[in-house]
Amino acid sequence: MRGKRAPGAIMGVPGLTGFVGERGAFFTELRLRDTKLVIDGSSLYHRLCFSSAAEFRRGGDYGALAATVRRFFGSLRACGVAAVVVLDGGRGAADRKLPTLRDRAAERLRAAHGLSRGQGGCLLPLLARHTFVQALRRLRVPFVQCFAEADREIAALASRWGCPVLSLDSDFCVFDLPGGYCPLSRFQWQEVCPGDGEPGCFIPALCFSADSFCGRFGRLQKSLLPLFAVLCGNDYGEVPALQGFFGKLPLPAGSPGGRRGKRGLMRGLLEWLAQFPGPAEAVEHVVRHLKERRREEVRELLCSSMEDYTPSDVNLEDFFQGGKYECEAARNSGLPQWVLDGLAKGELSPFLSDALILRSTFLHVQVENMQRPSAHSTALPIRQVIYGLLLKASQSSEAASASKQANKPPGVFEFDRIQKTLKKTFVQAANLPPHFCDDHFSLDKLTEVPMSCRQMLLLETLGVTMSFLESVPSHLQLPVAVTCYWTHCSEPKVKLLQLKALLLMIVSEELDRITNDPDPTALHEDDSIAYNQFLKWKEKKLQNKDFDLDAAHSFCQWQCCLQMGLYLNQLLSTPLSEPDLSRLYSGTLVHSLYQELKSTPSVENLFSSSPKMTQLYQVLLNTVKSSVSPDFFQKVTETKSESRKKKKASKKTKASRCPIPETQYLHDVNRFASLGVDD
């Protein structure tokens, strides 16, 4: 990913990675082998996703990401490296990183808009993290999802084990790590080398040395690095009221403005800090340059901010040995134990804990049509049911009591785009139907609700019944139910060719699954023939670089619906099997299929050599088509002149239209999604 800056992928102290990287003396060469390794999961899935993707406009190729994850951990295991992965959780009750997260969301929005217009850049696909977690589970890589920010818990575990940390977060240059910090950008896992005269092999890497770094600046103590990071500004923001101090800081000559100016400031700050025996003395000198009325406030802020670089009291070793995650913030949250366990094991998304604890969520933008409502608006009714379960369930909990407001309906603030601007919108939670409103649907007892009832709530939310899905393979029932919902609720309406392209993609992934299944009895000769024919077609047609933004918007809506379907399924303890995302969605493939279907309808017979795949395609297509009226797709198909007339008429009625077109559908089918958006 060299040369590309990925929104959200650069973390820690701004400019510090470049500052330490320009001097190789701060790093030592490392032959990584036969050791433990603590991996920053967020950094890793960003890095692997961007290295496995050729382009970023089509919504992600999750199979390619999963394959890269598999190769990465294969390299580690070949070298005897026992790795554990530590993932960030939710934003935490204090929500201290909110300004930084808003800035990153705005940055992702700008990147998505640029990609939609054919400009370069990269953007993390919507379901990349979920795909990564599924891959870790399949590969049996030990991992934990922290309750909030993971950095301090990563540092504590690596210090306990005396092993390196692998990350892209420059904050790990600041922690005092006995085993050092290995930047992922200098970690050559694809170039495993044989040992010189020793059995086994190793991965070439560079390891940051805090001792070498401090030695470059005279007698600089490592204990002063946290103050250095706080003064420079980190993910928790910059300390206000420090301009008076920086104005009097002696800086090296000849580095005005720009990147050189930032590095000059860092160099001057480090040389200034080297005169102090410890942070306490340095803090006192900093506050002397401030107005007296601000000194105590800034002193307290500096000291509390430096605590972000002390290893956590959480002992992750206990989790990896016994499966128990103990964290004071988690205990104080008031959440049921089954929720805390599910979060730690990655079985519940941090989206759910943010909605419950903070009443606030971020909806990540994709490469979509910025002139239309956000692709996430299609999945709004599903989110409202999630919020209804969480907020109804938590009304008596300590986590909710502090934020309850009299006479205000329960709801969640969502950060999402309105055209090309990030906006915060209040979304009212859905009222659950009467048969889901008894005490068993409180959060602490939700797992005790009979599976049939939980399944009914999931399917009613998606507008289907279990009998409707009986002919669909169990591992595809959730995606097909989501596809029915997407077809019914999307605005503009889904085109038949878009639906066919999506289902052909799902069938192709199913054919790939049985072809590569280790059980030879699962594969018949006609399946093998069909698979080889498909590979030849794919090799030829994937070269097509045509990009249809309207189709991309529709497929983004499908991913949003699937994401929220997955989260609701998680919250209800998976009444339907969770699909393998790496064998479900390929943005490059679905776009190619859609383009090909427009010019060559016979592509629909791509799998005709395999009766099994042909039957599967027909089952999926008939299931979705039977969920809408017989003339549904005929209404969608219209001439250009009709489209212009509708567009012209829509401008006249824009003020009177409902902003959420799917409201009537949910009212008719589900009868319980209490829709309402309060700007």
Side-chain angles (χ1 to χ4, degrees), residues 515-537:
T515 302
N516 294 289
D517 194 303
D519 179 9
T521 62
L523 182 67
H524 296 95
E525 185 178 354
D526 47 18
D527 298 328
S528 182
I529 293 171
Y531 185 66
N532 289 329
Q533 291 173 341
F534 168 70
L535 290 180
K536 291 178 181 177
W537 177 91

Side-chain angles (χ1 to χ4, degrees), residues 198-455:
E198 300 179 27
C201 49
F202 65 88
I203 295 174
L206 291 182
C207 189
F208 175 79
S209 169
D211 289 325
S212 298
F213 181 72
C214 290
R216 169 64 177 79
F217 301 99
R219 295 174 295 174
L220 179 65
Q221 302 296 311
K222 285 192 290 184
S223 61
L224 285 157
L225 291 180
L227 179 58
F228 163 71
V230 172
L231 292 172
C232 287
N234 57 16
D235 284 349
Y236 295 103
E238 297 179 352
V239 178
L242 286 179
Q243 290 306 313
F245 162 70
F246 285 117
K248 298 174 183 178
L249 183 69
L251 297 179
S255 32
R259 291 175 61 189
R260 291 184 62 201
K262 177 70 173 178
R263 293 180 185 178
L265 175 64
M266 287 183 167
R267 190 161 59 251
L269 184 56
L270 289 164
E271 290 171 353
W272 180 81
L273 286 170
Q275 66 183 298
F276 300 105
E281 295 83 357
V283 167
E284 290 308 312
H285 276 73
V286 170
V287 299
R288 284 179 193 172
H289 295 284
L290 308 180
K291 293 180 180 179
E292 189 169 352
R293 60 185 175 82
R294 302 298 305 273
R295 289 178 183 176
E296 186 59 31
E297 173 194 355
V298 173
R299 182 185 291 109
E300 291 180 3
L301 185 55
L302 289 174
C303 292
S304 63
S305 297
M306 285 191 288
E307 291 178 6
D308 293 323
Y309 295 99
T310 58
S312 169
D313 292 334
V314 176
N315 186 355
L316 290 182
E317 192 172 35
D318 289 345
F319 176 83
F320 289 117
Q321 291 179 350
K324 197 69 175 175
Y325 180 84
E326 293 288 345
C327 166
E328 183 179 0
R331 286 193 300 271
N332 293 339
S333 69
L335 299 184
Q337 190 59 49
W338 77 266
V339 173
L340 297 177
D341 291 342
L343 289 168
K345 294 175 182 176
E347 296 168 355
L348 294 175
S349 168
F351 175 91
L352 301 175
S353 59
D354 284 345
L356 182 55
I357 295 171
L358 298 173
R359 303 291 195 270
S360 169
T361 59
F362 278 87
L363 304 176
H364 295 303
V365 69
Q366 301 171 83
V367 182
E368 51 195 81
N369 190 333
M370 299 295 169
Q371 301 305 313
R372 289 184 173 158
S374 165
H376 286 285
S377 63
T378 303
L380 173 61
I382 307 176
R383 294 197 303 279
Q384 289 179 298
V385 172
I386 292 173
Y387 301 154
L389 276 171
L390 291 172
L391 303 190
K392 170 196 176 297
S394 66
Q395 283 172 1
S396 61
S397 72
E398 294 179 13
S401 60
S403 59
K404 283 179 62 178
Q405 299 180 33
N407 302 319
K408 186 175 180 67
V412 170
F413 285 99
E414 295 182 339
F415 290 94
D416 193 12
R417 73 165 185 87
I418 295 180
Q419 293 195 332
K420 293 178 285 184
T421 306
L422 185 70
K423 295 290 186 180
K424 179 181 177 182
T425 305
F426 179 76
V427 173
Q428 186 175 328
N431 292 320
L432 301 184
H435 49 293
F436 295 117
C437 287
D438 58 30
D439 291 339
H440 285 296
F441 271 82
S442 63
L443 197 58
D444 56 341
K445 297 181 180 179
L446 193 54
T447 54
E448 300 173 14
V449 176
M451 175 68 78
S452 59
C453 294
R454 286 182 274 125
Q455 188 181 84

